[in-house]
Amino acid sequence: MKAICFNFEIHQPMRLKRYRFFDIGNDHYYYDDFLNDEIVTRVAHNSYIPAAETLLRMIDATKGAFRCSISISGVALEQLEQYVPEFIDLLKKLADTGAVEFLAVPYAHSLASLTDPDEFANQVKVECDKLHSLLGVKPKVLHNTELIYDDEIAAQVLAMGFKGVLTEGAKHILGWKSPDYVYSAASAPKLRLLLKNDKLSDDIAARFSDTSWDQYPLTADKYMNWVASTPADEQVVNLCLNLETFGGFHPANTGIFQFLEALPRFAAEKGVEFRTPSQVLSVLKPVGELSVMHPISGADEARDVSAWLGNSLQNEAFNKLYSVAERVRLCDDRRLKQDWYYLQGSDHLYYMSTKHFSDGAAHSMFSPYETPYQAFTNYMNVLADFIVRVEEQYPLSIENEELNSLLTTIRNQATEIETLNKELASMRKNIEQFNVEHALRQAPEAKEEKAPAGKAKAAKPARKATTKKATKK
C-alpha cells in the first residue's frame, strides 16, 4: 500500500542585536531578546499552535491512523520554553499519542557536519537528551540541518547509532531514479535513506496560495489524486515541510489548515496510508545504494550548501568560528558554551548570502539585515568578542596539539589523584575495621585474666584455716 511520510520542521534562530566594533571586549551579551520574543511568539500563535492542534484532531479523528514526524532544533525548544510554554504542552500531547515520531537534529541547527565530526556528534547527543528529558522520546532517525548529507556524513550518522536519515531527493544525484523508494548509503550500507519528494512538498510549501499557479486552488482531493497516481511500485512519498508553512507562509485565511485536516479522509478513499519514518524503514527494504560525493541540501535550486558557504564572506565567518571549536569544547564555562551553540546557527551564514534573482529574494525575505554585508559585519563583531573570551581561558598562542597534550596531562594527573584518594579512603576504612576487630578480640582475653586472680584470693583463707587446725592438734 502506498504511504505518505510527513515531516514537519521547527526552527527559530537566536537573532543577534546590533553589535558595534566598540562593543568588543565590553559587552558580552549578543542577542536581540525583544525581536526573538516577538517573532517566536507571533509565529507560535499564528502557525505552530494551530498546526499542532490540527494534528491532534487528525490523529484523534483517525484513531491514530494519521501519523507524522516532527524535527525541532534545541535552540527553538529553548525559546519556545521561555516565550510560549503552552506550545511545549502541545508537543507533549503529540508525543503521548504514539502517532508522532520526533527526529534527531543538531541542537544548534548548525553546519558542524561539514567540518567538525566531534561537534556534530555532540550536538546530536545533546538534542536527543533534550528530547528525552522534555518529551520522553528517543530518536531513531536523523534529520540533519536543512537536509544536508553526503557519504562522509552517512558514516558518522551510522556510528551514532541511527538506523536512517532524512535527506534531499536532489535531481542531480538521483538522475532517472525516483525519490519515492528507500535507499541505502553507499558509504554505510546499513544506513537507510529517506528522500524528500521535492515536487509534492513544494506544491504545498511554495505554491498552495499562489493564485498564478495553473493548479490553483489546491484541494485535499486533488492532492491525494496526485499521490495515488504515482507508479504503483513507488511505495512511500516523503513530504518535508516547515511547520510555519501552515499559518505562517500561507495564512489561515487561505484555507491551509482545512486542507491539512482533510487529507486523511481523501487518503483513505484512495488507499493511501500515513507512516512515520521508523515505520517506513521497518516495512520497506532498500532498492539500491545511493552515493553522494559532495554535500547536498534542501536549499535553493542548486540543492547544495552554497546558501551558507557560497561566498568569501560566509567562508571567512565559518572558518573563523570553527577555528576555536576544540578550545570551547574543553572549557567548563556554561555561558560560553551556550553562546557557542547560538553562534553556530546556520541562519547567521544564510543572511550573508549574496545570491541574486529568485534565490536572492528568498534569502533577503528571512534576514533581519538590510544587506548581506551588514549581516557579515555584525556577526564578525560578535565573533571577535566571543573569541576574546575563549582566548582568556585557552590562549590562541598555544597550538591545538600542545594544548591537547597539556590538558591530557592535567586530566591524567587529576585521574591519578582521584585514584590515590580512593585508595587512601579504602585504607583508612580497613584500618578502622581492623581496630574495631582487634578491640573485640582483646575484650574476652581481659576477662579471662581477671577471673584466676579472683579465685586465688578466695583460696588463701582456706589454707590459713587448715594450718590453724593442724597446730591445734
Side-chain angles (χ1 to χ4, degrees):
M1 181 179 286
K2 193 177 296 294
I4 290 177
C5 183
F6 261 119
N7 178 257
F8 300 106
E9 182 184 7
I10 301 172
H11 170 62
Q12 290 295 332
M14 285 293 288
R15 296 164 183 84
L16 304 175
K17 67 182 181 183
R18 294 297 186 267
Y19 196 89
R20 303 170 302 163
F21 174 79
F22 299 103
D23 292 326
I24 299 172
N26 298 313
D27 183 3
H28 301 321
Y29 192 78
Y30 312 133
Y31 315 104
D32 190 333
D33 290 336
F34 177 80
L35 182 62
N36 287 320
D37 185 355
E38 188 274 326
I39 291 177
V40 171
T41 302
R42 170 169 48 81
V43 171
H45 285 94
N46 290 344
S47 173
Y48 296 164
I49 290 176
E53 290 172 342
T54 300
L55 294 177
L56 284 169
R57 288 196 301 271
M58 294 164 70
I59 294 168
D60 183 61
T62 61
K63 297 181 180 179
F66 175 79
R67 293 176 174 269
C68 65
S69 65
I70 292 176
S71 307
I72 179 167
S73 71
V75 174
L77 274 172
E78 283 188 27
Q79 294 181 78
L80 288 163
E81 282 183 287
Q82 181 178 359
Y83 301 127
V84 198
E86 59 267 36
F87 179 66
I88 301 298
D89 294 334
L90 289 174
L91 288 179
K92 291 177 181 177
K93 289 180 180 179
L94 286 169
D96 291 341
T97 64
V100 179
E101 179 178 4
F102 286 82
L103 307 189
V105 298
Y107 189 90
H109 201 260
S110 72
L111 304 179
S113 60
L114 297 175
T115 187
D116 193 332
D118 290 336
E119 181 62 25
F120 178 46
N122 174 67
Q123 284 193 31
V124 172
K125 181 183 182 302
V126 172
E127 170 74 11
C128 290
D129 291 343
K130 178 80 172 179
L131 289 174
H132 185 254
S133 64
L134 194 64
L135 306 176
V137 298
K138 293 183 178 181
K140 299 177 182 178
V141 176
L142 179 78
H143 176 177
N144 195 15
T145 303
E146 300 295 341
L147 301 175
I148 292 174
Y149 172 85
D150 65 12
D151 288 341
E152 289 188 15
I153 293 173
Q156 297 175 49
V157 174
L158 184 64
M160 292 179 204
F162 294 101
K163 63 181 181 181
V165 61
L166 187 65
T167 187
E168 178 66 29
K171 292 180 181 178
H172 69 278
I173 297 297
L174 286 172
W176 56 269
K177 298 176 182 176
S178 168
D180 300 336
Y181 294 98
V182 175
Y183 293 88
S184 60
S187 59
K190 291 184 179 180
L191 184 71
R192 303 293 181 253
L193 306 181
L194 293 172
L195 307 181
K196 172 187 171 184
N197 185 308
D198 263 343
K199 181 191 177 302
L200 289 172
S201 295
D202 287 347
D203 284 340
I204 301 174
R207 294 181 278 272
F208 181 82
S209 59
D210 182 3
T211 56
S212 64
W213 183 31
D214 61 357
Q215 295 297 328
Y216 181 85
L218 179 61
T219 63
D221 187 15
K222 183 192 294 185
Y223 189 79
M224 277 303 161
N225 276 332
W226 293 347
V227 173
S229 63
T230 56
D233 60 337
E234 296 182 2
Q235 294 180 303
V236 59
V237 176
N238 299 301
L239 302 175
C240 301
L241 304 168
N242 191 320
L243 192 61
E244 203 173 340
T245 298
F246 304 91
F249 305 151
H250 303 290
N253 59 16
T254 63
I256 188 74
F257 290 112
Q258 290 81 359
F259 165 83
L260 178 63
E261 195 163 355
L263 287 176
R265 178 164 67 91
F266 291 102
E269 291 179 3
K270 303 295 189 299
V272 177
E273 63 181 9
F274 297 89
R275 291 178 183 166
T276 64
S278 288
Q279 285 180 318
V280 171
L281 296 180
S282 65
V283 173
L284 301 180
K285 294 182 179 180
V287 296
E289 290 187 349
L290 201 62
S291 178
V292 182
M293 301 296 292
H294 303 287
I296 58 174
S297 78
D300 299 345
E301 190 173 349
R303 297 296 191 260
D304 57 14
V305 295
S306 60
W308 307 275
L309 300 173
N311 62 41
S312 57
L313 303 178
Q314 294 168 311
N315 281 281
E316 171 68 18
F318 180 76
N319 293 330
K320 192 75 172 176
L321 173 68
Y322 284 99
S323 68
V324 296
E326 290 187 46
R327 284 167 162 74
V328 177
R329 281 198 295 273
L330 292 168
C331 80
D332 296 321
D333 189 326
R334 185 188 64 82
R335 177 70 181 278
L336 198 67
K337 287 197 170 186
Q338 185 182 56
D339 290 338
W340 168 242
Y341 282 152
Y342 294 164
L343 293 179
Q344 285 186 77
S346 63
D347 309 77
H348 303 305
L349 296 171
Y350 190 81
Y351 302 149
M352 301 176 199
S353 176
T354 51
K355 287 188 175 185
H356 300 294
F357 308 112
S358 60
D359 285 351
H363 285 259
S364 61
M365 182 177 72
F366 294 105
S367 177
Y369 303 97
E370 294 178 4
T371 68
Y373 307 101
Q374 189 184 85
F376 173 76
T377 301
N378 199 68
Y379 183 79
M380 293 305 285
N381 285 342
V382 169
L383 189 57
D385 183 80
F386 177 76
I387 291 176
V388 167
R389 292 164 58 203
V390 174
E391 189 171 4
E392 287 175 354
Q393 298 204 26
Y394 300 109
L396 298 181
S397 57
I398 304 176
E399 294 294 331
N400 282 339
E401 291 183 4
E402 183 182 355
L403 179 62
N404 285 333
S405 177
L406 290 171
L407 290 170
T408 299
T409 301
I410 292 171
R411 287 196 202 95
N412 290 340
Q413 289 176 343
T415 303
E416 186 176 352
I417 290 171
E418 185 180 355
T419 302
L420 290 172
N421 284 334
K422 287 181 179 178
E423 291 179 359
L424 181 60
S426 178
M427 291 176 65
R428 284 175 175 168
K429 188 175 181 180
N430 290 338
I431 291 171
E432 290 175 1
Q433 184 66 24
F434 174 79
N435 289 336
V436 170
E437 292 177 356
H438 182 69
L440 292 173
R441 285 198 301 269
Q442 289 292 347
E445 293 177 3
K447 289 179 181 177
E448 289 176 4
E449 290 176 0
K450 289 177 181 178
K455 288 178 182 177
K457 288 178 181 177
K460 282 182 180 179
R463 285 196 296 268
K464 287 179 181 178
T466 306
T467 305
K468 287 178 181 178
K469 202 172 185 179
T471 306
K472 191 177 181 180
K473 287 180 180 180

